[in-house]
Amino acid sequence: LTGTPLQNSLMELWSLLHFLMPYIFRSRKEFSFWFENPMNDMIEGNTAENASVIGRLHGIIRPFVLRRLKKDVETQMPGKYEHIVKCQLSRRQMLMYEEFMARSSTRNALR
């Protein structure tokens, strides 16, 4: 269903798991209590890394994750098409852009 949900949000992962198996992954609140809250605390540096939380999460999702490397699937994928669509900025967007470009810090960064 998706590429890398753990890089986005654990609750996005829960949404996918709940969609696939609502009878197993019923409670968003419980999933958040067990995984998202401790993981957020680890990421923000409020608590030390907790191997048991990470191990428990891996144990739960491992049966549902198909991990494939790009080199293994690259030959199966169609060629990439890039489309460039140009559109006009709104009046407000243009004013904000001009203000941003007029800053000395912006001009210095672009040198």
Side-chain angles (χ1 to χ4, degrees), residues 1-13:
L1 291 177
T2 188
T4 54
L6 287 178
Q7 292 181 2
N8 299 328
S9 151
L10 282 179
M11 297 321 293
E12 183 177 335
L13 172 65

Side-chain angles (χ1 to χ4, degrees), residues 81-87:
Y81 293 97
E82 186 173 321
H83 301 276
I84 298 173
V85 178
K86 295 185 179 192
C87 62

Side-chain angles (χ1 to χ4, degrees), residues 9-11 14 17 20 37 39 44 76 106-108:
S9 151
L10 282 179
M11 297 321 293
W14 174 84
L17 294 172
L20 294 172
N37 296 342
M39 293 296 282
E44 293 170 4
Q76 302 168 7
T106 303
R107 288 194 305 270
N108 290 336

Side-chain angles (χ1 to χ4, degrees), residues 63-104:
F64 308 109
V65 175
L66 173 62
R67 178 91 173 133
R68 299 185 303 171
L69 300 176
K70 183 177 179 180
K71 68 180 179 78
D72 298 332
V73 296
E74 198 168 35
T75 58
Q76 302 168 7
M77 297 177 69
K80 179 179 175 182
Y81 293 97
E82 186 173 321
H83 301 276
I84 298 173
V85 178
K86 295 185 179 192
C87 62
Q88 296 292 320
L89 296 176
S90 70
R91 176 178 283 147
R92 182 168 187 252
Q93 290 171 323
M94 182 58 79
L95 290 172
M96 292 174 72
Y97 174 77
E98 288 172 351
E99 179 184 317
F100 175 76
M101 292 304 290
R103 293 180 191 163
S104 61

